[in-house]
């Protein structure tokens, strides 16, 4: 069983930065990938960033160059560094961990609001 607890969301002005954290508990030694999704009201859920067990990263075009996903294996924590934030980044951000065959676990989500 896996639990994901997110923190770091909040209100920030356009151009500012936030760092989201996702603390994982339970056994994730065999995970395939971890990532961040976001969903704004009235919009489809979208993948923001993803990092595989091998360290390969990928980003949505909308955040490429501004966001950085990373993982601290010793702390069992996933991060999303969000720089140069825009109002369009406003959404609920979800941490996920993906296992082959088993599927994905999701965090509770954390609200990020970027004001103009």
């Amino acid at each position: 069983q896996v639990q994901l607890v997110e923190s770091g969301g909040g209100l920030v002005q356009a151009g500012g930065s936030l760092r989201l954290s996702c603390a994982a508990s339970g056994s994730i030694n065999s995970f395939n990938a971890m990532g961040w999704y976001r969903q704004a009201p009235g919009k489809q859920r979208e993948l923001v960033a993803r990092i595989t067990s091998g360290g390969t990263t990928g980003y949505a075009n909308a955040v490429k160059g501004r966001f950085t996903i990373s993982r601290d294996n010793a702390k069992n924590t996933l991060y999303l560094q969000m720089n140069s934030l825009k109002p369009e980044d406003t959404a609920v951000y979800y941490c996920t961990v993906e296992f082959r065959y088993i599927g994905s676990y999701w965090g509770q989500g954390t609200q990020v609001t970027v004001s103009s």
Side-chain angles (χ1 to χ4, degrees):
Q1 194 69 29
V2 175
Q3 289 183 311
L4 304 172
V5 180
E6 297 143 320
S7 61
L11 175 65
V12 66
Q13 295 183 51
S17 298
L18 284 174
R19 190 192 194 196
L20 304 184
S21 299
C22 173
S25 62
S27 180
I28 61 168
N29 293 332
S30 63
F31 78 98
N32 181 56
M34 299 184 73
W36 293 93
Y37 286 78
R38 69 184 182 186
Q39 188 167 26
K43 296 184 178 180
Q44 294 279 341
R45 182 196 68 190
E46 65 174 334
L47 175 65
V48 176
R50 185 173 181 265
I51 183 167
T52 70
S53 60
T56 301
T57 59
Y59 299 91
N61 288 333
V63 308
K64 197 170 297 182
R66 299 187 296 118
F67 291 10
T68 303
I69 188 171
S70 62
R71 189 178 71 243
D72 188 329
N73 293 329
K75 296 181 179 179
N76 223 22
T77 302
L78 182 73
Y79 301 98
L80 184 67
Q81 179 66 46
M82 309 164 67
N83 298 326
S84 301
L85 283 162
K86 305 174 180 179
E88 307 92 270
D89 297 318
T90 296
V92 178
Y93 285 71
Y94 298 92
C95 173
T96 67
V97 58
E98 173 189 331
F99 297 90
R100 186 77 184 275
Y101 306 117
I102 297 174
S104 298
Y105 291 83
W106 294 74
Q108 79 286 353
T110 184
Q111 177 70 47
V112 172
T113 302
V114 184
S115 64
S116 59

